[in-house]
C-alpha cells in the first residue's frame, strides 16, 4: 500500500486541503498528522476532502489520538493522525 504522511500546520485550511487533494489523486491512502493548535486544521482539511471535494469517493479510515510530554518539563501536547483513504 502506498501511503503518504502530510504534516498539517497553521496554514490556511483550503490551501492545505488542495495540497492533500492533489496527493490523494495519486495515492490511495494519506495520513494527516497534526499536533497542538494545528489539530482543528487537520480535522477541517479531512472534512473538506471527504465531505466536499471527494464527496463519496473518500473516507476517514481511522483517527489516532495521542499525547506527547516534553521531556522533564511536564508540558503535554496532543497529537492526531487522521487516515484518509480513497474508496
Amino acid at each position: 500500500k502506498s501511503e503518504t504522511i502530510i504534516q498539517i500546520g497553521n496554514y490556511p485550511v483550503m490551501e492545505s486541503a488542495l495540497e492533500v487533494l492533489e496527493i490523494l489523486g495519486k495515492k490511495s491512502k494519506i495520513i494527516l498528522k497534526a499536533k497542538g493548535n494545528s489539530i482543528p486544521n487537520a480535522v477541517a482539511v479531512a472534512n473538506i476532502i471527504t465531505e466536499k471535494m471527494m464527496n463519496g469517493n473518500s473516507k476517514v479510515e481511522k483517527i489516532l489520538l495521542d499525547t506527547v510530554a516534553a521531556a522533564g518539563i511536564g508540558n503535554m501536547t496532543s497529537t492526531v493522525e487522521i487516515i484518509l483513504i480513497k474508496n
Side-chain angles (χ1 to χ4, degrees):
K1 271 187 181 175
S2 63
E3 57 184 46
T4 303
I5 296 174
I6 299 175
Q7 200 71 43
I8 303 288
N10 284 319
Y11 317 115
V13 171
M14 277 314 283
E15 206 175 284
S16 299
L18 289 169
E19 188 183 320
V20 170
L21 183 68
E22 193 180 318
I23 297 166
L24 199 54
K26 303 178 189 107
K27 305 280 184 180
S28 57
K29 185 180 199 174
I30 283 188
I31 301 172
L32 303 179
K33 284 189 172 193
K35 58 183 174 188
N37 298 335
S38 301
I39 291 175
N41 285 9
V43 172
V45 167
N47 281 336
I48 290 167
I49 296 285
T50 56
E51 305 293 319
K52 305 274 187 282
M53 294 176 163
M54 290 186 72
N55 193 5
N57 296 318
S58 67
K59 66 179 181 183
V60 174
E61 182 185 51
K62 193 190 282 181
I63 298 173
L64 303 168
L65 302 172
D66 200 5
T67 305
V68 215
I73 309 168
N75 284 355
M76 307 286 271
T77 304
S78 295
T79 63
V80 68
E81 279 185 32
I82 302 172
I83 302 171
L84 297 178
I85 54 170
K86 272 198 295 207
N87 294 348

